């Protein structure tokens, strides 16, 4: 497993384990590393399974959440780290919410950016439910097809240009200028592609949240790893539910931070209320970044870092309650 590690100039208060999502890499936390070390914490940022310079197993089952969480546990064990503060974004957010329930004694505190806590319903298979009524999550059905991999791997640079973007006026204009609004509005499974309707290769300028060096790095990483691994995270929904089902009804008792983004069209800020997060995560602090979309870590790093580091500095890492098992509702 490839990972990046950074330490403060003084004895670290603890370790922050940063977990990225799709389609990203350790590099998605590049704006957070220095700020977190300045707050007195050791930072550990791995390329997740299937990404970047980490191994890319060849079967879909190898990307089930049980093994993804085990990767993080093994990394901690190899480095001799007993407990961590978890920080996750996108799929990384899902992973850390699962991890804290399965391994509560290995977690000091938990912070998620964009990804809310989804309580496990032991009676409703989420994969069956999604297939029946996918709504804005239709892209996840598309990601379960072989055609999705072909689409994304055709031109990793173009895929990155389309996928990692800000929500400012310049980025929005660049995207709309050469898009087909009617096609963009249609579900990927209906129009036959996630990128269908977006600007064609060569027609879309680089997002203002990425430098040319950033774009080149992402392109090289996905040219190396491909998209089978990243897409396979979407192909284990039912297996993940079966793994988590025995823990249904449990609260997360750890100190927690939830950072929402006002312009995220899928993981909406309103989900904090609609999912009743404050009840499920009673010690949660909720912070909001209005002028950012899904890539808040890169679009508004200063504001996000202020929230994360301000919260980190207030953590009581000696609090025994931070590592007790999650309790039943």
């Amino acid at each position: 497993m490839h990972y990046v590690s950074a330490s403060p100039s003084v004895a670290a208060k603890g370790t922050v384990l940063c977990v990225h999502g799709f389609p990203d890499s350790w590099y998605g936390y590049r704006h957070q590393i220095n700020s977190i070390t300045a707050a007195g914490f050791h930072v550990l940022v791995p390329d997740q399974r299937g990404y970047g310079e980490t191994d890319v197993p060849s079967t879909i089952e190898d990307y089930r959440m049980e093994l993804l969480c085990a990767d993080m546990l093994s990394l901690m064990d190899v480095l001799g780290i007993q407990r961590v503060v978890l920080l996750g974004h996108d799929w990384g957010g899902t992973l850390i919410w699962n991890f804290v329930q399965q391994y509560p004694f290995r977690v000091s505190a938990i912070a998620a950016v964009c990804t809310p806590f989804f309580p496990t319903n032991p009676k409703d298979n989420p994969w069956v439910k999604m297939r029946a009524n996918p709504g804005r999550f239709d892209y996840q059905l598309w990601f379960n097809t072989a055609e999705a991999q072909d689409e994304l791997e055709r031109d990793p640079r173009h895929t990155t240009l389309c996928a990692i973007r800000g929500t400012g006026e310049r980025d929005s204009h660049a995207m709309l200028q050469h898009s087909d609004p009617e096609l963009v509005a249609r579900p990927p499974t209906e129009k036959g592609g996630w990128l269908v309707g977006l600007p064609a290769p060569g027609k879309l300028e680089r997002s203002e949240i990425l430098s040319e060096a950033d774009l080149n790095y992402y392109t090289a990483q996905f040219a190396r790893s491909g998209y089978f691994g990243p897409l396979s995270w979407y192909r284990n929904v039912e297996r993940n539910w079966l793994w988590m089902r025995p823990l249904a009804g449990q609260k997360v008792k750890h100190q927690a931070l939830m950072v929402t983004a006002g312009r995220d069209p899928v993981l909406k800020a309103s989900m904090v209320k609609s999912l009743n997060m404050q009840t499920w995560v009673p010690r949660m602090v909720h912070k909001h970044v209005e002028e950012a979309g899904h890539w808040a870590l890169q679009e508004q790093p200063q504001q996000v870092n202020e929230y994360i580091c301000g919260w980190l500095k207030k953590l009581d890492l000696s609090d025994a309650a931070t590592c007790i098992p999650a309790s039943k509702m």
Side-chain angles (χ1 to χ4, degrees):
M1 171 173 283
H2 171 257
Y3 64 89
V4 170
S5 179
S7 298
S9 57
V10 296
K13 301 174 185 176
T15 295
V16 177
L17 174 57
C18 304
V19 186
H20 71 78
F22 174 93
D24 208 348
S25 77
W26 76 267
Y27 199 67
Y29 284 100
R30 65 192 179 281
H31 297 305
Q32 282 66 54
I33 294 173
N34 288 341
S35 293
I36 294 173
T37 57
F41 287 80
H42 169 230
V43 183
L44 192 58
V45 198
D47 277 338
Q48 292 298 311
R49 179 180 292 219
Y51 285 87
E53 297 176 52
T54 292
D55 291 346
V56 182
S58 59
T59 62
I60 290 173
E61 294 83 356
D62 286 330
Y63 296 88
R64 64 188 187 272
M65 191 57 63
E66 181 179 2
L67 297 184
L68 300 174
C69 286
D71 285 345
M72 299 300 95
L73 200 63
S74 296
L75 180 61
M76 292 170 61
D77 288 344
V78 166
L79 297 178
I81 300 171
Q82 182 58 33
R83 294 165 63 195
V84 293
V85 176
L86 291 171
L87 173 59
H89 171 249
D90 188 78
W91 263 111
T94 299
L95 189 156
I96 66 170
W97 288 122
N98 282 252
F99 188 101
V100 74
Q101 292 177 86
Q102 294 283 354
Y103 308 107
F105 292 101
R106 304 301 299 271
V107 181
S108 299
I110 181 169
V113 179
C114 294
T115 311
F117 176 79
F118 289 90
T120 300
N121 186 326
K123 297 180 180 180
D124 287 343
N125 183 326
W127 184 235
V128 173
K129 193 173 181 179
M130 182 182 294
R131 290 174 65 187
N133 184 26
R136 68 181 186 274
F137 295 98
D138 181 86
Y139 68 93
Q140 296 193 18
L141 300 185
W142 173 251
F143 285 169
N144 273 262
T145 69
E147 290 81 6
Q149 184 179 342
D150 293 338
E151 178 189 31
L152 301 187
E153 289 183 349
R154 196 170 299 127
D155 185 343
R157 182 181 178 88
H158 179 64
T159 298
T160 301
L161 281 170
C162 292
I164 304 180
R165 302 196 66 81
T167 58
E169 184 177 347
R170 175 187 152 190
D171 268 14
S172 298
H173 175 74
M175 180 63 81
L176 292 172
Q177 188 176 13
H178 298 290
S179 293
D180 182 330
E182 183 179 344
L183 273 177
V184 170
R186 289 168 59 188
T189 56
E190 180 183 312
K191 63 186 178 182
W194 188 46
L195 306 179
V196 173
L198 298 179
K203 294 290 186 179
L204 182 61
E205 66 181 45
R206 168 174 48 84
S207 170
E208 58 188 340
I209 70 173
L210 297 177
S211 68
E212 189 64 25
D214 295 337
L215 176 59
N216 289 339
Y217 184 83
Y218 273 118
T219 300
Q221 293 301 292
F222 284 107
R224 181 185 189 280
S225 68
Y227 286 89
F228 172 78
L231 290 173
S232 291
W233 285 53
Y234 291 92
R235 297 168 177 174
N236 284 281
V237 173
E238 185 170 28
R239 293 184 186 92
N240 297 343
W241 172 67
L242 291 172
W243 185 54
M244 293 301 298
R245 189 162 60 167
L247 300 178
Q250 292 184 341
K251 291 184 179 182
V252 174
K253 285 295 197 69
H254 296 63
Q255 299 167 90
L257 171 68
M258 178 68 212
V259 180
T260 52
R263 298 173 180 169
D264 192 324
V266 177
L267 297 176
K268 298 181 178 182
S270 60
M271 296 173 78
V272 170
K273 288 187 177 181
S274 65
L275 291 170
N276 202 19
M277 267 192 74
Q278 197 69 62
T279 298
W280 289 101
V281 191
R283 302 176 73 188
M284 178 188 73
V285 174
H286 179 201
K287 297 293 185 179
H288 182 70
V289 183
E290 181 59 32
E291 296 185 358
H294 185 65
W295 298 98
L297 290 166
Q298 303 186 50
E299 187 173 9
Q300 296 291 349
Q302 183 175 349
Q303 188 175 3
V304 172
N305 290 352
E306 287 176 0
Y307 289 154
I308 293 172
C309 294
W311 173 75
L312 285 171
K313 291 175 182 178
K314 294 178 181 178
L315 285 179
D316 181 1
L317 298 178
S318 66
D319 185 358
T322 61
C323 58
I324 63 172
S327 64
K328 288 284 187 179
M329 286 287 283

